[in-house]
Amino acid sequence: PAFTMGRKNKKRRTHVDDAAMEKTGGEKVPKSFVIRRGKVPALVRELIKDTRKMMSPFTALKLKERKTNNLKDYVSLSGTLGVSHMMCFSTTETGSYLRLGKMPRGPTLYFKIEQYTLSKDVAAAQRRPHSPGTEFLSPPIVVLNNMQSDERHIKLTDIMVQNLFPPIDIDTAKLSQCRRVVLFRRNPETGGFELRHYVVNVKAGGLTKGIKKIVRRRKLPNLGKYDDIADYVTGGGASDSEGEDMEDSMVQIEPGQKAIDGSRGARHNKEAEEAAVKLTEIGPRMNLTLMKVEDGFCSGEVLYHHHVEKAPEEIARIRAELAEKQDVKARRQAEQTANVKRKKELERKQEFAKRKGGVEREVDAGEDLHPLDQVQETAFSSDDDEEHYRTEVGEAPEAGTFMRRNTSVRRAPKYRENGTVINERKDAKAKKDTGKEAHVKMNAELVRRKGLKVKKEKVKAKKRKMSKKK
């Protein structure tokens, strides 16, 4: 039989393409850390998990904090991982707080969490809660309400929340990716903020209640109790709890779009259809109060405070003090950098001096080594004495008058603790002799032990013979 090679299987990725999702409208996608600081109650930990789910997919869902981690650790990782924002939850005796900061240089917004509701509590209060699907694979759409104001802190809050989520490009956006909505609303009466999280459901519109039930179900309903199908279509087949589609929720879906929900997820519509858009809240839900705004990342000048108002003169004085502290810090850092550089230069020069001339004295940081310090010390030759005698007397000295000296370098003697001079040659010879004596003694001890062992064996054999004769 003829054998044929099988077709090579091609891997089909089921996750979202990171390269395609990394840029939206030619800009980098904002990413975030959602962490906690200090001890927080169990409900706040659940709120952190719900917030991470709301910020997905551009957040660390399974981030684990340690007690030893500080804010500097997250800031140092933000550049490598491309993280742009941080949401930090904390709890004190007065309540729970949320910090929203732009990494790595700020600003930072401090919110007090007045009230919050978890996702599971929102689902428990609904008659028909939403079942989770693939809506968390795409980022949510942020909707801001009542954020128009001339106040500086409200404008800053508007910009921070808007930049916390990826922007939308109307030309390239797909309806299938617009699955969630985050509503950030300001209450003009109280001045607080409300955060809500919804999932978008797009269903076919312009149909009666009975037709909707037929479209949604895979099997036909039981029509045995009706005399005519018109009775079912005119309203007899739907429950009273289902409401009619409002005119404001009706939108026109262009042909070829994949947005309207079907029996197996979103389906493609072949022609233009009218659909109804409904929002189902999935949580979490938070009521926030802006307490403070700082210029830097969890530090810096306080631009706004909910309880404290300062005069212009006091603000100018605080800014001058802050500028002075920054100058002192900059000078101290420059001084430390100079000290480290000078220390490294000193170590380099000392190492160079030891390698070249054996000089072991300490060298100052600003001192340059003299060339003679790098030359090894040598003894004078006897030729210099002969030349001096010839110059002064006028004739050459007799043979043997000046003894030739050894031109090799004499090392400085080494001393023991008791003051005696260490002779390395004698010590090495004595050490060698001592080693030989020890070797001889060890051999003699081995011979003695072997003889004792043989003697014991003979005694034991003699005893065995005596016992057998008895």
Side-chain angles (χ1 to χ4, degrees), residues 34 45 62 111-112 137 165 190 204 226 244 267 274 293 317 333 361 381 383 388 393 396 412 417 433 449 454:
V34 182
R45 289 198 291 268
K62 299 182 181 180
F111 294 97
K112 182 179 181 181
L137 297 179
F165 300 92
T190 61
Y226 299 102
E244 294 288 348
R267 60 178 176 82
E274 195 176 26
V293 179
R317 181 180 58 81
Q333 290 179 350
R361 65 182 182 86
S381 175
D383 296 338
H388 179 71
V393 178
E417 294 180 357
D433 295 342
R449 290 183 180 182
V454 172

mmCIF file of all heavy atoms in Angstrom, residues 34 45 62 111-112 137 165 190 204 226 244 267 274 293 317 333 361 381 383 388 393 396 412 417 433 449 454:
data_model
loop_
_atom_site.group_PDB
_atom_site.id
_atom_site.type_symbol
_atom_site.label_atom_id
_atom_site.label_comp_id
_atom_site.label_asym_id
_atom_site.label_seq_id
_atom_site.Cartn_x
_atom_site.Cartn_y
_atom_site.Cartn_z
ATOM 1 N N VAL A 34 -2.590 46.525 40.624
ATOM 2 C CA VAL A 34 -3.603 46.668 41.676
ATOM 3 C C VAL A 34 -3.083 45.911 42.882
ATOM 4 O O VAL A 34 -3.026 44.673 42.877
ATOM 5 C CB VAL A 34 -4.975 46.120 41.223
ATOM 6 C CG1 VAL A 34 -6.009 46.342 42.317
ATOM 7 C CG2 VAL A 34 -5.419 46.804 39.934
ATOM 8 N N ARG A 45 -9.854 42.459 50.381
ATOM 9 C CA ARG A 45 -9.086 41.582 49.486
ATOM 10 C C ARG A 45 -9.956 41.081 48.336
ATOM 11 O O ARG A 45 -9.481 40.958 47.198
ATOM 12 C CB ARG A 45 -8.502 40.406 50.285
ATOM 13 C CG ARG A 45 -7.383 40.800 51.228
ATOM 14 C CD ARG A 45 -6.574 39.590 51.643
ATOM 15 N NE ARG A 45 -7.339 38.702 52.494
ATOM 16 C CZ ARG A 45 -7.360 38.751 53.814
ATOM 17 N NH1 ARG A 45 -6.649 39.683 54.449
ATOM 18 N NH2 ARG A 45 -8.082 37.901 54.527
ATOM 19 N N LYS A 62 -2.860 37.749 38.960
ATOM 20 C CA LYS A 62 -2.379 36.868 40.026
ATOM 21 C C LYS A 62 -1.164 37.445 40.726
ATOM 22 O O LYS A 62 -0.260 36.713 41.143
ATOM 23 C CB LYS A 62 -2.050 35.487 39.455
ATOM 24 C CG LYS A 62 -3.252 34.782 38.837
ATOM 25 C CD LYS A 62 -2.889 33.403 38.317
ATOM 26 C CE LYS A 62 -4.091 32.717 37.689
ATOM 27 N NZ LYS A 62 -3.739 31.367 37.178
ATOM 28 N N PHE A 111 -8.212 58.631 47.375
ATOM 29 C CA PHE A 111 -9.663 58.523 47.525
ATOM 30 C C PHE A 111 -9.979 57.782 48.820
ATOM 31 O O PHE A 111 -9.265 56.847 49.208
ATOM 32 C CB PHE A 111 -10.286 57.755 46.350
ATOM 33 C CG PHE A 111 -10.191 58.453 45.028
ATOM 34 C CD1 PHE A 111 -9.173 58.139 44.137
ATOM 35 C CD2 PHE A 111 -11.110 59.416 44.670
ATOM 36 C CE1 PHE A 111 -9.082 58.768 42.915
ATOM 37 C CE2 PHE A 111 -11.034 60.050 43.446
ATOM 38 C CZ PHE A 111 -10.016 59.729 42.566
ATOM 39 N N LYS A 112 -11.058 58.193 49.446
ATOM 40 C CA LYS A 112 -11.610 57.432 50.571
ATOM 41 C C LYS A 112 -12.801 56.636 50.071
ATOM 42 O O LYS A 112 -13.710 57.191 49.436
ATOM 43 C CB LYS A 112 -12.041 58.363 51.702
ATOM 44 C CG LYS A 112 -12.569 57.604 52.913
ATOM 45 C CD LYS A 112 -12.969 58.542 54.037
ATOM 46 C CE LYS A 112 -13.483 57.740 55.241
ATOM 47 N NZ LYS A 112 -13.902 58.639 56.346
ATOM 48 N N LEU A 137 -11.564 39.492 27.829
ATOM 49 C CA LEU A 137 -10.403 39.435 26.937
ATOM 50 C C LEU A 137 -10.134 40.759 26.245
ATOM 51 O O LEU A 137 -9.075 40.937 25.640
ATOM 52 C CB LEU A 137 -10.611 38.347 25.877
ATOM 53 C CG LEU A 137 -10.722 36.904 26.400
ATOM 54 C CD1 LEU A 137 -10.948 35.951 25.242
ATOM 55 C CD2 LEU A 137 -9.476 36.517 27.181
ATOM 56 N N PHE A 165 -7.440 53.775 31.068
ATOM 57 C CA PHE A 165 -7.933 52.757 30.146
ATOM 58 C C PHE A 165 -7.465 53.069 28.725
ATOM 59 O O PHE A 165 -7.189 54.231 28.399
ATOM 60 C CB PHE A 165 -9.463 52.704 30.192
ATOM 61 C CG PHE A 165 -10.023 52.364 31.546
ATOM 62 C CD1 PHE A 165 -10.363 53.372 32.438
ATOM 63 C CD2 PHE A 165 -10.187 51.054 31.924
ATOM 64 C CE1 PHE A 165 -10.870 53.075 33.686
ATOM 65 C CE2 PHE A 165 -10.695 50.740 33.172
ATOM 66 C CZ PHE A 165 -11.037 51.746 34.053
ATOM 67 N N THR A 190 -22.947 66.217 46.217
ATOM 68 C CA THR A 190 -22.031 65.827 47.295
ATOM 69 C C THR A 190 -20.561 66.017 46.937
ATOM 70 O O THR A 190 -19.705 66.050 47.827
ATOM 71 C CB THR A 190 -22.268 64.360 47.673
ATOM 72 O OG1 THR A 190 -22.012 63.530 46.527
ATOM 73 C CG2 THR A 190 -23.715 64.157 48.126
ATOM 74 N N ALA A 204 -31.224 41.279 19.355
ATOM 75 C CA ALA A 204 -32.055 41.666 18.214
ATOM 76 C C ALA A 204 -33.260 42.463 18.687
ATOM 77 O O ALA A 204 -33.949 42.086 19.647
ATOM 78 C CB ALA A 204 -32.503 40.422 17.446
ATOM 79 N N TYR A 226 -52.430 26.486 22.696
ATOM 80 C CA TYR A 226 -52.915 27.615 21.896
ATOM 81 C C TYR A 226 -53.701 27.078 20.706
ATOM 82 O O TYR A 226 -53.328 26.093 20.073
ATOM 83 C CB TYR A 226 -51.744 28.484 21.404
ATOM 84 C CG TYR A 226 -50.931 29.088 22.531
ATOM 85 C CD1 TYR A 226 -49.698 28.536 22.890
ATOM 86 C CD2 TYR A 226 -51.401 30.191 23.225
ATOM 87 C CE1 TYR A 226 -48.948 29.074 23.913
ATOM 88 C CE2 TYR A 226 -50.652 30.741 24.253
ATOM 89 C CZ TYR A 226 -49.433 30.177 24.601
ATOM 90 O OH TYR A 226 -48.701 30.718 25.623
ATOM 91 N N GLU A 244 -40.456 45.801 27.356
ATOM 92 C CA GLU A 244 -40.262 46.127 25.951
ATOM 93 C C GLU A 244 -38.956 46.903 25.776
ATOM 94 O O GLU A 244 -38.467 47.551 26.704
ATOM 95 C CB GLU A 244 -41.449 46.964 25.449
ATOM 96 C CG GLU A 244 -42.767 46.215 25.427
ATOM 97 C CD GLU A 244 -42.826 45.181 24.321
ATOM 98 O OE1 GLU A 244 -41.941 45.218 23.442
ATOM 99 O OE2 GLU A 244 -43.729 44.331 24.344
ATOM 100 N N ARG A 267 -23.190 36.694 16.658
ATOM 101 C CA ARG A 267 -23.329 36.156 15.300
ATOM 102 C C ARG A 267 -23.140 37.275 14.281
ATOM 103 O O ARG A 267 -23.302 38.454 14.581
ATOM 104 C CB ARG A 267 -24.710 35.537 15.124
ATOM 105 C CG ARG A 267 -25.869 36.516 15.332
ATOM 106 C CD ARG A 267 -27.209 35.852 15.092
ATOM 107 N NE ARG A 267 -28.332 36.730 15.384
ATOM 108 C CZ ARG A 267 -28.809 37.643 14.541
ATOM 109 N NH1 ARG A 267 -28.233 37.815 13.344
ATOM 110 N NH2 ARG A 267 -29.847 38.401 14.876
ATOM 111 N N GLU A 274 -31.755 46.052 13.265
ATOM 112 C CA GLU A 274 -31.986 46.916 14.410
ATOM 113 C C GLU A 274 -31.797 46.088 15.671
ATOM 114 O O GLU A 274 -32.362 44.988 15.790
ATOM 115 C CB GLU A 274 -33.387 47.503 14.365
ATOM 116 C CG GLU A 274 -33.563 48.673 15.313
ATOM 117 C CD GLU A 274 -34.943 49.300 15.162
ATOM 118 O OE1 GLU A 274 -35.868 48.575 14.730
ATOM 119 O OE2 GLU A 274 -35.094 50.501 15.454
ATOM 120 N N VAL A 293 -4.528 65.369 46.621
ATOM 121 C CA VAL A 293 -3.811 65.225 45.359
ATOM 122 C C VAL A 293 -2.370 65.663 45.586
ATOM 123 O O VAL A 293 -2.134 66.775 46.085
ATOM 124 C CB VAL A 293 -4.453 66.065 44.233
ATOM 125 C CG1 VAL A 293 -3.652 65.911 42.943
ATOM 126 C CG2 VAL A 293 -5.896 65.656 44.004
ATOM 127 N N ARG A 317 5.535 79.595 50.898
ATOM 128 C CA ARG A 317 6.556 79.200 51.871
ATOM 129 C C ARG A 317 6.820 77.694 51.818
ATOM 130 O O ARG A 317 7.978 77.246 51.853
ATOM 131 C CB ARG A 317 6.094 79.598 53.273
ATOM 132 C CG ARG A 317 7.095 79.245 54.383
ATOM 133 C CD ARG A 317 6.562 79.661 55.733
ATOM 134 N NE ARG A 317 5.284 79.050 56.028
ATOM 135 C CZ ARG A 317 5.159 77.798 56.484
ATOM 136 N NH1 ARG A 317 6.237 77.040 56.692
ATOM 137 N NH2 ARG A 317 3.968 77.304 56.743
ATOM 138 N N GLN A 333 23.501 63.891 47.072
ATOM 139 C CA GLN A 333 23.724 62.834 46.092
ATOM 140 C C GLN A 333 24.957 63.090 45.247
ATOM 141 O O GLN A 333 25.730 62.169 44.953
ATOM 142 C CB GLN A 333 22.487 62.692 45.208
ATOM 143 C CG GLN A 333 21.272 62.116 45.921
ATOM 144 C CD GLN A 333 20.065 62.020 45.017
ATOM 145 O OE1 GLN A 333 20.072 62.557 43.896
ATOM 146 N NE2 GLN A 333 19.010 61.349 45.477
ATOM 147 N N ARG A 361 52.500 52.171 50.581
ATOM 148 C CA ARG A 361 52.056 53.290 51.403
ATOM 149 C C ARG A 361 50.730 53.812 50.858
ATOM 150 O O ARG A 361 50.380 53.604 49.699
ATOM 151 C CB ARG A 361 53.104 54.408 51.380
ATOM 152 C CG ARG A 361 53.294 55.056 50.015
ATOM 153 C CD ARG A 361 54.386 56.112 50.058
ATOM 154 N NE ARG A 361 54.542 56.760 48.771
ATOM 155 C CZ ARG A 361 53.841 57.799 48.370
ATOM 156 N NH1 ARG A 361 52.900 58.291 49.154
ATOM 157 N NH2 ARG A 361 54.029 58.341 47.186
ATOM 158 N N SER A 381 76.197 49.642 41.936
ATOM 159 C CA SER A 381 77.209 48.744 41.392
ATOM 160 C C SER A 381 78.610 49.195 41.822
ATOM 161 O O SER A 381 78.848 50.373 42.131
ATOM 162 C CB SER A 381 77.107 48.729 39.870
ATOM 163 O OG SER A 381 78.153 47.965 39.333
ATOM 164 N N ASP A 383 81.111 49.415 39.915
ATOM 165 C CA ASP A 383 81.720 50.220 38.847
ATOM 166 C C ASP A 383 81.711 51.696 39.191
ATOM 167 O O ASP A 383 82.598 52.450 38.778
ATOM 168 C CB ASP A 383 80.967 49.985 37.537
ATOM 169 C CG ASP A 383 81.099 48.537 37.081
ATOM 170 O OD1 ASP A 383 82.061 47.871 37.517
ATOM 171 O OD2 ASP A 383 80.223 48.077 36.300
ATOM 172 N N HIS A 388 84.890 56.626 40.482
ATOM 173 C CA HIS A 388 85.185 57.752 41.384
ATOM 174 C C HIS A 388 86.675 57.765 41.781
ATOM 175 O O HIS A 388 87.310 58.847 41.835
ATOM 176 C CB HIS A 388 84.294 57.601 42.628
ATOM 177 C CG HIS A 388 84.521 58.689 43.637
ATOM 178 N ND1 HIS A 388 84.118 59.993 43.449
ATOM 179 C CD2 HIS A 388 85.158 58.666 44.856
ATOM 180 C CE1 HIS A 388 84.460 60.738 44.486
ATOM 181 N NE2 HIS A 388 85.104 59.933 45.364
ATOM 182 N N VAL A 393 92.063 60.144 42.044
ATOM 183 C CA VAL A 393 93.507 59.824 42.179
ATOM 184 C C VAL A 393 94.227 60.015 40.855
ATOM 185 O O VAL A 393 95.399 60.426 40.807
ATOM 186 C CB VAL A 393 93.669 58.382 42.698
ATOM 187 C CG1 VAL A 393 95.148 57.997 42.813
ATOM 188 C CG2 VAL A 393 92.965 58.232 44.051
ATOM 189 N N ALA A 396 94.181 54.064 37.821
ATOM 190 C CA ALA A 396 93.232 52.990 38.066
ATOM 191 C C ALA A 396 93.558 52.290 39.381
ATOM 192 O O ALA A 396 94.737 52.172 39.759
ATOM 193 C CB ALA A 396 93.253 51.996 36.924
ATOM 194 N N ALA A 412 63.713 42.886 52.577
ATOM 195 C CA ALA A 412 63.731 43.260 53.989
ATOM 196 C C ALA A 412 63.495 42.027 54.835
ATOM 197 O O ALA A 412 62.684 41.163 54.493
ATOM 198 C CB ALA A 412 62.643 44.292 54.261
ATOM 199 N N GLU A 417 57.256 37.104 66.315
ATOM 200 C CA GLU A 417 56.692 37.897 67.394
ATOM 201 C C GLU A 417 57.683 38.116 68.529
ATOM 202 O O GLU A 417 57.631 39.143 69.221
ATOM 203 C CB GLU A 417 55.433 37.207 67.924
ATOM 204 C CG GLU A 417 54.295 37.159 66.900
ATOM 205 C CD GLU A 417 53.080 36.483 67.465
ATOM 206 O OE1 GLU A 417 53.163 36.014 68.624
ATOM 207 O OE2 GLU A 417 52.048 36.436 66.757
ATOM 208 N N ASP A 433 62.951 18.071 57.145
ATOM 209 C CA ASP A 433 63.491 17.018 58.014
ATOM 210 C C ASP A 433 62.415 16.516 58.973
ATOM 211 O O ASP A 433 62.309 15.312 59.250
ATOM 212 C CB ASP A 433 64.691 17.546 58.790
ATOM 213 C CG ASP A 433 65.856 17.904 57.862
ATOM 214 O OD1 ASP A 433 65.848 17.411 56.695
ATOM 215 O OD2 ASP A 433 66.723 18.701 58.266
ATOM 216 N N ARG A 449 52.034 -2.289 65.107
ATOM 217 C CA ARG A 449 50.629 -2.715 65.188
ATOM 218 C C ARG A 449 50.411 -4.015 64.425
ATOM 219 O O ARG A 449 49.626 -4.881 64.850
ATOM 220 C CB ARG A 449 49.720 -1.622 64.632
ATOM 221 C CG ARG A 449 49.660 -0.389 65.537
ATOM 222 C CD ARG A 449 48.690 0.629 64.970
ATOM 223 N NE ARG A 449 48.624 1.801 65.818
ATOM 224 C CZ ARG A 449 47.817 2.835 65.577
ATOM 225 N NH1 ARG A 449 47.020 2.811 64.506
ATOM 226 N NH2 ARG A 449 47.819 3.866 66.401
ATOM 227 N N VAL A 454 49.454 -10.008 64.565
ATOM 228 C CA VAL A 454 49.880 -11.389 64.273
ATOM 229 C C VAL A 454 50.017 -12.189 65.566
ATOM 230 O O VAL A 454 49.635 -13.369 65.649
ATOM 231 C CB VAL A 454 51.208 -11.372 63.487
ATOM 232 C CG1 VAL A 454 51.774 -12.786 63.343
ATOM 233 C CG2 VAL A 454 51.000 -10.734 62.114
#
